[in-house]
Amino acid sequence: MNIDSIKNGYVIDHIKAGMALEIFRVLELDKLDCPVAIIKNAISGKMGKKDIIKIDAVIDLDLDALGYIDPDITVNFIKNGVLVEKKHLELPERITNVIKCKNPRCITSCEQELDHVFKLTDREKRVYRCIYCESMAKQR
Amino acid sequence: MKHLIDILDFSTDEIDALLDRADDIIANPDKYREVCKYKKLATLFFEPSTRTRLSFESAMLSLGGSVLGFSEAKSSSASKGESVSDTIQVVSCYSDIIAMRHPKEGAPLVASFRSEVPIINAGDGGHNHPTQTLTDLLTIRREKGRLDNLTVGFCGDLKFGRTVHSLISALSRYTGIKIVLISPDELKLPAYMKTDVLDKNGMDYVETTDLIEAMKDLDILYMTRVQQERFFNEADYIRLKDSYILTKDKMDYAKKDMCILHPLPRVNEISTEIDDDPRACYFKQVACGRYVRMALIMKLLEVEA
């Protein structure tokens, strides 16, 4: 298997095996015009198996969404073919339009233009709550 | 500019100052008669609540201000499909402060994002009702002289009762509070309230299904209504409904200075024969509601006597 190295873009590394397609969907990578590679079940010394996503373009990467899906992910920033930054993610304090509030009594259920915003209320237990109705997001 | 969306938006110092102001209004009503002259309160009630709306309107009129608004969604632009954000931006142009009730949870928070004037949450679905909590705190402090070192019993529907959840959250910031949760298993306090509020703040609490057994230790008994529609089957409701009705004979088990509160309206959960008992404080609580709303309006409008 031959995947060209990236000139300007990102390598999203240390994705838990099996999660790459969900990240692909959440980041809406299907809408990109540039080369995007998904590597599933790559061998990893630490993780056993892992997934990797390579994006060969500079885009507005939603690190909060990535951190929410898996805070153990590493994002490598590539510029002119060189690794310029390695970012270790963590659980974001707030996520916007990554998940939707399921509470039918929440104001977001009837006002369609509102952003669905969740805030981290318990880092240890990874609890996120809707900022409007305080319903707990389904835990990952 | 400050809003009141959740009782925890205010620090305990702010709440104490608000209650001090309410006490002063009760003692010296004349001093406050015109402090809000030429100010307008808009009461936007997207669902009916005569009691809360009248309390707000009476509060503003007692401060010398004026009121405008609507008392149900069908008499507002919401019936034409207008969003909360748009309604609020319009009403902001007509008023100096807005009290808003809405059936959807979080609607007042959305309003606060777009409003040019302070927003008071007058109840959003089953979520928050912070001015009821201020009312409860003022009543407790006036009756007991303190907000710490109290044993507070909550009886009835602890699962869906927003006033119960808000008052427990507010009391969690005071020391020496012991909570006694008295309810049928079907209507117990939700697990998240126990983990996120009671356990997180190291609060002392017990759960029981027996009102009489719990009664003897209580300084405050906060009654709520057990509604038939909360039960899956009628047999369970019939079996349990009388256990949570406060009657004269049950009052024999209570302390001589216990204080009974109820957010009202009551249906049958407090027998009317108790109304003349000096421990029945629920109508005093209604009066406190107006005074504390007066203090709140002054605080948010930043006016002084």
Side-chain angles (χ1 to χ4, degrees), chain B residues 9-197:
Chain B
D9 291 345
F10 284 175
S11 67
T12 50
D13 284 348
E14 284 179 299
I15 288 176
D16 290 345
L18 204 60
L19 303 187
D20 290 345
R21 170 58 61 77
D23 280 336
D24 194 53
I25 292 171
I26 293 168
N28 307 290
D30 287 350
K31 200 167 113 185
Y32 295 90
R33 196 169 278 168
E34 295 198 327
V35 292
C36 287
K37 200 173 177 183
Y38 307 123
K39 300 280 187 189
K40 291 181 281 295
L41 165 76
T43 52
L44 309 189
F45 277 60
F46 293 86
E47 68 174 5
S49 170
T50 314
R51 184 185 316 276
T52 305
R53 184 171 57 83
L54 291 182
S55 179
F56 270 108
E57 293 185 358
S58 175
M60 190 52 162
L61 295 171
S62 302
L63 294 168
S66 314
V67 294
L68 66 161
F70 52 83
S71 57
E72 53 185 337
K74 67 182 178 191
S75 56
S76 78
S77 298
S79 63
K80 298 173 190 163
E82 187 176 57
S83 68
V84 167
S85 300
D86 282 4
T87 303
I88 286 300
Q89 285 181 87
V90 170
V91 177
S92 289
C93 301
Y94 303 148
S95 58
D96 301 293
I97 185 166
I98 295 171
M100 172 184 176
R101 168 165 291 200
H102 200 285
K104 290 291 183 183
E105 299 173 7
L109 181 67
V110 172
S112 71
F113 292 156
R114 304 307 293 264
S115 181
E116 298 290 325
V117 301
I119 298 286
I120 301 170
N121 180 0
D124 57 337
H127 185 217
N128 277 320
H129 194 358
T131 58
Q132 178 65 50
T133 308
L134 289 174
T135 301
D136 300 339
L137 293 173
L138 179 63
T139 314
I140 293 170
R141 204 179 77 164
R142 286 183 66 79
E143 293 301 315
K144 309 305 290 184
R146 64 188 189 279
L147 288 173
D148 53 7
N149 299 310
L150 292 167
T151 300
V152 185
F154 291 89
C155 179
D157 180 356
L158 310 188
K159 186 174 182 181
F160 298 99
R162 62 182 171 191
T163 58
V164 170
H165 302 172
S166 290
L167 184 54
I168 290 175
S169 297
L171 289 172
S172 73
R173 301 191 292 181
Y174 294 88
T175 55
I177 298 290
K178 183 177 177 185
I179 302 287
V180 183
L181 302 164
I182 310 150
S183 73
D185 287 338
E186 292 85 342
L187 297 175
K188 282 165 81 168
L189 193 74
Y192 76 86
M193 279 296 297
K194 291 179 208 159
T195 54
D196 293 7
V197 181

Side-chain angles (χ1 to χ4, degrees), chain A residues 3-18:
Chain A
I3 297 168
D4 290 343
S5 54
I6 288 170
K7 289 192 180 63
N8 290 294
Y10 314 92
V11 177
I12 305 174
D13 199 0
H14 301 115
I15 301 170
K16 201 177 290 171

Side-chain angles (χ1 to χ4, degrees), chain A residues 111-122:
Chain A
E111 300 221 347
Q112 307 297 328
E113 81 287 359
L114 285 174
D115 285 334
H116 286 244
V117 184
F118 283 75
K119 66 181 175 189
L120 182 63
T121 56
D122 188 330

